[in-house]
Structures are given as C-alpha cells and as structure tokens.
Amino acid sequence: MAYGRFVYAGEVFEGYFELSDGKIIYDGIEFDVSTVKFLPPVKPEKIIGVALNYEDHAKELGMEVPKEPALFLKSPSSVVGDNDYIILPQKPKRVDYEGELAVVIKKRCKNVSKEDAEDYILGYTCFNDVTARDLQQAGWQWDIVKSFDTFSPIGPYIVDIDPSNLKIRTYLNGKVVQYSSTKNLIFDIPTLIEYISSLMTLKKYDVIATGTPPGVGALKSGDVVEVEIEGIGRLKNYVR
C-alpha cells in the first residue's frame, strides 16, 4: 500500500492505493502506472532538512560530525514531483544533487518522545535536497541555497515501511553516484522527530529530509537524476 497523488486523464486522485505488477488499484479502479503522472505526494507547510547526518558525508565536505541534529528549512515553493524538471537558476554556478530518505508527518504534534514517534509518521518517500553548492560555500544561508524553485523533488509516493536499514542509491544518467543504507544515519528517525518537535510544532504533511550519504555531485542541463530507496521506489527528475 502507498499514499500519494496522481493524475489520470486530467483528473487528480489522492489517497491510499495498492501497487502491484505495474498497476495502481485505487478505490477499486485499476490504472496502469505508465498512464498516470505522479504529483508531489503531499503539500507540506514546511520542509525540515537535516545536515550532515551521515558521517562519511561530513568528512566529504570537511565538516565536523554534529553533536545534535543540525537543521535548516526549505521553502515549500521549491517542491516538484516525479518526472518533473529541476531548473538550474542563473545565480549559482554549481548545483548539486543530494539523495535522501524523507519522513512525512501524519498529524500535528509537539514534544513527541522517541518512543511515541511512530504514531506521528504517515510514511516515507524519496527526496532530492538540491543545493546551490557554490553559494553555500560562499556563506549564503542554507535556507536560501536549498530553496530555489524546483530544488525539492519528492515522491513518487509514500510507503509505510521500517526505515532502519534501507538501501539508498542516487543515479546520475544511469550511473550510481551515491550508495549507502539508512542504518548509517547518525540520528535515527525517532531521535529526529523527538528533537525537531521539541523546537517547533510539526503539522500534517510536513516533511523531514533526513540527510544525504557521501557522493554528492554537480548537475548540468540534460542530466537525469534518480533517487531510489529500497522498498519505496524511485524518484526521477530531469535537469535543464
């Protein structure tokens, strides 16, 4: 079972559906996956990113491993869905992909304990934390360099799954450029929800992007970038 939004013959369908053998079964109606367009599975009020949540990625960037989650925000206006375009803006000279596991919040919560965190999770999906790297390295605020239009691809849908040991891969033009497992997260999902909800109220459909493994790299016009997470699916985007 999955949760998401898709378009078929000009009509938008939203909610839970079954995925089986290339078919979507929604409310008793069967669709071929190849005939639908997946939309971003939710419309978040906010996107909370977690920086440096894989130790190897911190080393890759020459940064210290944080003692507690390092957070930033991404604008909801940066969200796009599966098979949408990532548009390279004029200002930055280098824009990077960052494949990630994203957590989607099920209902409003505040001050959630790690033990209760699962009660507030709708499910998990693929996310690409696209980043204007040269502007980030020049000292620009992370909230800005990660919030250009189209810099938050998410999808294709949300799955309820155990996130503790999922293989995560990013492909650039068909070649694997990032490969790790969610077991290598420095701060696991319950820890992140406990920490973030102690700072701010989380609302239904808010998204937590849990951090990227090593192997980040630059995008150029004409590229195809895909984020694949075991048991969830593959998020595909084109670059121009």
Side-chain angles (χ1 to χ4, degrees), residues 9-10 29 36 50 63 66 90 120 153 175 180 182 186 188 213:
I29 307 170
V36 309
V50 183
M63 298 180 177
Q90 292 184 349
Y120 298 91
K175 178 183 176 181
S180 189
T182 56
I186 297 169
D188 64 13

Side-chain angles (χ1 to χ4, degrees), residues 109-120:
C109 59
K110 177 77 167 128
N111 294 322
V112 176
S113 69
K114 288 189 286 188
E115 293 73 21
D116 293 335
E118 188 174 344
D119 295 339
Y120 298 91

Side-chain angles (χ1 to χ4, degrees), residues 208-236:
I208 300 171
T210 62
T212 195
V216 300
L219 295 169
K220 65 180 186 304
S221 185
D223 282 345
V224 179
V225 59
E226 300 166 274
V227 179
E228 181 183 56
I229 301 178
E230 179 184 12
I232 297 177
R234 188 182 288 211
L235 169 67
K236 182 177 183 178

Side-chain angles (χ1 to χ4, degrees), residues 171-191:
Y171 298 81
L172 185 63
N173 302 321
K175 178 183 176 181
V176 176
V177 288
Q178 290 185 286
Y179 176 68
S180 189
S181 168
T182 56
K183 70 180 180 182
N184 297 321
L185 287 170
I186 297 169
F187 304 105
D188 64 13
I189 307 303
T191 300

Side-chain angles (χ1 to χ4, degrees), residues 12 21 54 56 76 91 107 111 136 164 204 229:
V12 176
D21 298 324
Y54 289 81
D56 287 350
K91 183 68 175 177
K107 56 186 177 181
N111 294 322
Q136 182 187 40
S164 59
K204 186 177 181 178
I229 301 178

